[in-house]
Amino acid sequence: MFGLAYFKWEEIWSPVFLAVMLLITAAYLVLTGPVHDRLHKGKPVTAGRKALFLLGMTVLYAAQGGPVELLGHIMFSFHMVSMALSYLIAPPLLMLGLPNWIWRRLAEQLSRSPLSRLRFLTHPIVAAVVFNGLFSLYHFPAIHDYVMLHFTIHRLYYAVLFIAAILMWWTLVKPLPDHSEVHGLKQMGFIFLNMVLLTPACGLIIFAPEPLYATYSDPAVWAQAMGYCVSGDPGMLLSRFGGPEFFGYLEPAIDQQVGGIIMKFIQEIIFASMLAYVFYNWYKRENREDDELSGDEAKMNLT
């Protein structure tokens, strides 16, 4: 499917990355299972929370180590699927999967380290601007092609973008509710801000009249970028396949438009759902406070 039959098992499934993900998952299960009572005297971690973490790890692996990652080097539309999975879906799942006591210990450690000077990055507006700015900057054609062609910078940029995604999601997930002062209308405004900030980059991609990225349209550049996830000489890829169009079911320009639409669609679905959830809870809280106020006034009139 999509040309995966032409690649080796290790090129499709990234066994080294898989091993790292499995080790992290095993450490999580140990911390929240056998040694939980030694580290935290409280309620055990629920099965639902563990399931969220495991799902988050599965999504992250699929995006950065599984077939989606390889296909993301071949088709831009799959690249955008990988980005959406990595930064819009996996982070909140992982954050919800970690119990509060782990977040508190991490917060305590960070507060005593030099990284505490970067606390301003947790401010909602700063976090939204930083994440969406880094995401948009990455998709400027010259920067995207440069990052895709330099493996170390590629991994560093992805790591920084993942941290920025965690900071952005912090205001919405609120793993430590007492550390967040953004509720109700402010939280809804934060969601709307994120929806707006990503629109220019998606619009640039969707409405571009021609392919923007040499990684997906120039066979020589594509072969060099593929060299980081496929073993062998990039020249062999060219002689064997000729370029990314060998695998693509769509022309580069259309594939690019589809990728932009996919990213914007997934973002709109996720944030619109969050907006509805936050609005519903805000509405319920406001009605409950009004009912309590009316009840107090009625008691005062009776006395």
Side-chain angles (χ1 to χ4, degrees):
M1 187 177 182
F2 297 108
L4 291 177
Y6 292 98
F7 298 98
K8 300 175 183 177
W9 181 88
E10 59 269 22
E11 294 169 345
I12 298 173
W13 297 103
S14 305
V16 174
F17 184 69
L18 175 59
V20 172
M21 298 294 280
L22 289 174
L23 285 173
I24 294 173
T25 302
Y28 168 83
L29 292 175
V30 170
L31 287 175
T32 57
V35 301
H36 176 269
D37 292 339
R38 301 179 191 175
L39 298 174
H40 178 69
K41 303 300 182 182
K43 295 181 179 179
V45 180
T46 64
R49 192 180 285 270
K50 291 180 181 180
L52 288 173
F53 185 86
L54 294 177
L55 180 59
M57 292 295 286
T58 302
V59 169
L60 187 59
Y61 167 71
Q64 294 295 329
V68 175
E69 195 269 340
L70 176 61
L71 290 170
H73 280 73
I74 297 173
M75 299 176 67
F76 184 78
S77 51
F78 275 96
H79 162 75
M80 288 308 242
V81 170
S82 174
M83 298 295 283
L85 292 175
S86 299
Y87 307 115
L88 296 182
I89 298 178
L93 291 174
L94 294 172
M95 294 172 74
L96 290 169
L98 287 175
N100 291 348
W101 65 268
I102 291 182
W103 282 115
R104 292 188 187 283
R105 294 198 179 189
L106 287 173
E108 291 171 1
Q109 292 296 323
L110 289 174
S111 66
R112 293 195 292 265
S113 73
L115 291 176
S116 61
R117 298 176 183 177
L118 301 177
R119 183 180 177 82
F120 70 94
L121 292 174
T122 62
H123 188 281
I125 295 178
V126 175
V129 170
V130 168
F131 170 72
N132 289 283
L134 286 172
F135 185 92
S136 300
L137 182 66
Y138 175 60
H139 287 95
F140 278 88
I143 295 175
H144 178 273
D145 287 334
Y146 182 84
V147 171
M148 291 290 283
L149 292 174
H150 296 81
F151 182 75
T152 302
I153 294 176
H154 180 272
R155 286 305 179 194
L156 286 174
Y157 201 105
Y158 274 36
V160 171
L161 194 55
F162 187 78
I163 294 171
I166 294 290
L167 295 175
M168 183 272 292
W169 275 105
W170 184 272
T171 300
L172 297 176
V173 175
K174 297 194 291 188
L176 294 176
D178 53 325
H179 285 222
S180 177
E181 299 178 356
V182 180
H183 305 281
L185 291 175
K186 289 183 179 179
Q187 204 170 21
M188 286 185 269
F190 176 77
I191 295 171
F192 183 74
L193 175 64
N194 278 280
M195 296 171 74
V196 170
L197 287 174
L198 199 60
T199 299
C202 291
L204 171 69
I205 294 168
I206 294 170
F207 297 108
E210 58 186 20
L212 297 173
Y213 306 105
T215 309
Y216 300 99
S217 58
D218 185 325
V221 177
W222 168 79
Q224 186 178 347
M226 282 288 289
Y228 293 117
C229 54
V230 177
S231 59
D233 182 6
M236 294 178 61
L237 289 172
L238 282 177
S239 62
R240 187 179 180 188
F241 304 117
E245 65 275 4
F246 177 88
F247 305 94
Y249 291 94
L250 300 172
E251 295 179 2
I254 297 177
D255 177 47
Q256 181 176 285
Q257 291 174 337
V258 170
I261 292 170
I262 287 173
M263 186 66 197
K264 190 58 181 171
F265 180 77
I266 293 176
Q267 190 224 23
E268 291 290 335
I269 290 295
I270 292 173
F271 282 103
S273 300
M274 289 293 299
L275 190 62
Y277 176 78
V278 171
F279 176 80
Y280 175 72
N281 282 285
W282 171 78
Y283 180 78
K284 280 204 314 180
R285 185 169 59 251
E286 289 295 312
N287 280 352
R288 185 169 59 250
E289 290 175 356
D290 289 343
D291 291 342
E292 291 174 355
L293 182 61
S294 299
D296 291 342
E297 289 178 351
K299 290 179 181 178
M300 291 178 64
N301 291 333
L302 289 173
T303 57

Short mmCIF file of all heavy atoms in Angstrom, two decimals, residues 293-303:
data_model
loop_
_atom_site.label_atom_id
_atom_site.label_comp_id
_atom_site.label_asym_id
_atom_site.label_seq_id
_atom_site.Cartn_x
_atom_site.Cartn_y
_atom_site.Cartn_z
N LEU A 293 -26.73 31.73 44.10
CA LEU A 293 -26.96 33.12 44.51
C LEU A 293 -28.44 33.38 44.74
O LEU A 293 -28.83 34.03 45.71
CB LEU A 293 -26.41 34.07 43.44
CG LEU A 293 -26.51 35.57 43.74
CD1 LEU A 293 -25.73 35.91 45.01
CD2 LEU A 293 -25.98 36.39 42.57
N SER A 294 -29.28 32.84 43.84
CA SER A 294 -30.72 33.01 44.00
C SER A 294 -31.21 32.33 45.28
O SER A 294 -32.07 32.84 46.00
CB SER A 294 -31.45 32.43 42.78
OG SER A 294 -31.08 33.09 41.61
N GLY A 295 -30.64 31.16 45.58
CA GLY A 295 -31.02 30.44 46.79
C GLY A 295 -30.64 31.21 48.04
O GLY A 295 -31.41 31.27 49.01
N ASP A 296 -29.46 31.83 48.03
CA ASP A 296 -29.02 32.62 49.19
C ASP A 296 -29.92 33.84 49.38
O ASP A 296 -30.25 34.20 50.52
CB ASP A 296 -27.57 33.07 48.98
CG ASP A 296 -26.60 31.91 49.04
OD1 ASP A 296 -26.98 30.85 49.58
OD2 ASP A 296 -25.46 32.04 48.52
N GLU A 297 -30.30 34.48 48.28
CA GLU A 297 -31.16 35.65 48.39
C GLU A 297 -32.53 35.25 48.94
O GLU A 297 -33.14 35.99 49.73
CB GLU A 297 -31.33 36.30 47.00
CG GLU A 297 -30.05 36.99 46.52
CD GLU A 297 -30.22 37.57 45.14
OE1 GLU A 297 -31.27 37.29 44.50
OE2 GLU A 297 -29.31 38.31 44.70
N ALA A 298 -33.03 34.08 48.51
CA ALA A 298 -34.32 33.63 49.00
C ALA A 298 -34.27 33.36 50.50
O ALA A 298 -35.21 33.68 51.25
CB ALA A 298 -34.73 32.36 48.24
N LYS A 299 -33.16 32.77 50.96
CA LYS A 299 -33.01 32.53 52.40
C LYS A 299 -32.97 33.81 53.18
O LYS A 299 -33.55 33.94 54.29
CB LYS A 299 -31.74 31.71 52.64
CG LYS A 299 -31.82 30.27 52.15
CD LYS A 299 -30.51 29.55 52.41
CE LYS A 299 -30.58 28.12 51.90
NZ LYS A 299 -29.28 27.40 52.11
N MET A 300 -32.28 34.83 52.66
CA MET A 300 -32.20 36.11 53.33
C MET A 300 -33.57 36.79 53.44
O MET A 300 -33.90 37.40 54.44
CB MET A 300 -31.22 37.03 52.58
CG MET A 300 -29.76 36.58 52.68
SD MET A 300 -28.66 37.65 51.73
CE MET A 300 -28.86 39.19 52.61
N ASN A 301 -34.38 36.66 52.38
CA ASN A 301 -35.73 37.25 52.40
C ASN A 301 -36.61 36.55 53.43
O ASN A 301 -37.46 37.20 54.07
CB ASN A 301 -36.37 37.13 51.02
CG ASN A 301 -35.67 38.03 50.00
OD1 ASN A 301 -35.09 39.05 50.37
ND2 ASN A 301 -35.75 37.67 48.72
N LEU A 302 -36.43 35.24 53.58
CA LEU A 302 -37.23 34.51 54.54
C LEU A 302 -36.88 34.91 55.97
O LEU A 302 -37.74 34.90 56.86
CB LEU A 302 -37.04 32.99 54.37
CG LEU A 302 -37.68 32.40 53.10
CD1 LEU A 302 -37.28 30.93 52.97
CD2 LEU A 302 -39.20 32.53 53.16
N THR A 303 -35.63 35.23 56.22
CA THR A 303 -35.22 35.61 57.56
C THR A 303 -35.55 37.07 57.84
O THR A 303 -35.60 37.49 58.99
CB THR A 303 -33.71 35.40 57.72
OG1 THR A 303 -33.02 36.14 56.73
CG2 THR A 303 -33.35 33.93 57.61
#
